[in-house]
Amino acid sequence: RRNSVIAMGDDGRVVGRADKVRLMPFGEYVPLYDVLPEEIQRRFSRGLVPGERPTTLSVAGATLGALNCYEDLFPDLSRALVIAGADVLSNHTNDAWFLDTAAPHLHHFLARLRSVETRRDLIRTVGTGVSGLVTATGELEGTTSAWSRATRLLRVRRLSGTTLWVRFGDLVTPSAAGALLAAAVVTRRRRAKGAPP
């Protein structure tokens, strides 16, 4: 069993499927299932099977980079989809388990980063909201409220080209970590020699 996004053509036939790659522990699979006692394994399933790789879907002339549920929070997945040719990112999720809290709004807010990093429009369709379009520059259009019925017709741009982040990945975090480590080593050596930090 998999958690998948299914693309259908105008005639109702399935034209593509994107299986979720990054499953959520305890919600979609049981971590360390193989080390659990046999009695527990007989009573409970290990959960869903992850997809092999991030997958694009061809729909209405666009190449959608499908991000299933929380996959819109993982930068490496959106980067892989753009490298694979996605000209639009699309997220399909169900945030119902958060009830009427700030969590769906936080999920929507964090997903905006994927648009800015990749310079792709991101369509978010969430069964209980917050849904809408995040433009490639991070602006929100047609955003719905959580737990309200809504329909939106929005213009989504098919974009091409790659950002430095897509080409080279996250160079900032390891560089900053390296600088901090170097500063810590220098400070420690100065203190060991009795010099002021």
Side-chain angles (χ1 to χ4, degrees):
R1 297 179 306 164
R2 298 178 187 272
N3 186 347
S4 304
V5 173
I6 305 293
M8 299 180 76
D10 291 335
D11 58 1
R13 289 184 308 118
V14 173
V15 295
R17 183 183 92 198
D19 298 325
K20 187 173 183 182
V21 175
R22 195 79 44 87
L23 300 177
M24 298 307 293
F26 301 107
E28 294 174 312
Y29 78 96
V30 178
L32 303 173
Y33 181 84
D34 294 326
V35 300
L36 292 175
E38 238 179 85
E39 308 83 58
I40 294 176
Q41 288 184 8
R42 273 182 284 183
R43 294 190 66 188
F44 299 99
S45 166
R46 76 174 54 245
L48 301 176
V49 175
E52 293 179 18
R53 71 187 70 74
T55 305
T56 60
L57 300 169
S58 295
V59 178
T63 304
L64 299 181
L67 297 162
N68 192 331
C69 198
Y70 265 113
E71 288 184 331
D72 63 351
L73 300 182
F74 296 103
D76 60 313
L77 296 179
S78 59
R79 179 174 178 253
L81 288 165
V82 170
I83 289 170
D87 47 26
V88 174
L89 296 176
S90 91
N91 173 245
H92 313 273
T93 191
N94 177 2
D95 281 342
W97 53 355
F98 291 127
L99 303 176
D100 195 9
T101 64
H105 301 277
L106 180 60
H107 185 181
H108 188 67
F109 175 78
L110 293 172
R112 292 171 75 178
L113 296 171
R114 304 301 79 83
S115 290
V116 175
E117 292 162 347
T118 61
R119 286 297 188 253
R120 294 294 188 274
D121 283 359
L122 167 64
I123 308 161
R124 292 194 75 240
T125 54
V126 183
T128 54
V130 175
S131 297
L133 171 65
V134 180
T135 69
T137 54
E139 293 147 308
L140 302 177
E141 293 184 13
T143 304
T144 67
S145 301
W147 296 95
S148 65
R149 290 179 184 234
T151 302
R152 300 287 191 270
L153 182 60
L154 301 165
R155 185 178 303 274
V156 178
R157 297 169 301 166
R158 293 173 47 208
L159 300 171
S160 60
T162 56
T163 63
L164 290 174
W165 184 85
V166 169
R167 278 191 212 141
F168 303 111
D170 182 10
L171 299 176
V172 173
T173 303
S175 299
L180 284 172
L181 181 62
V185 168
V186 168
T187 301
R188 186 177 182 126
R189 286 185 180 170
R190 282 186 180 169
R191 285 185 182 157
K193 292 179 181 178

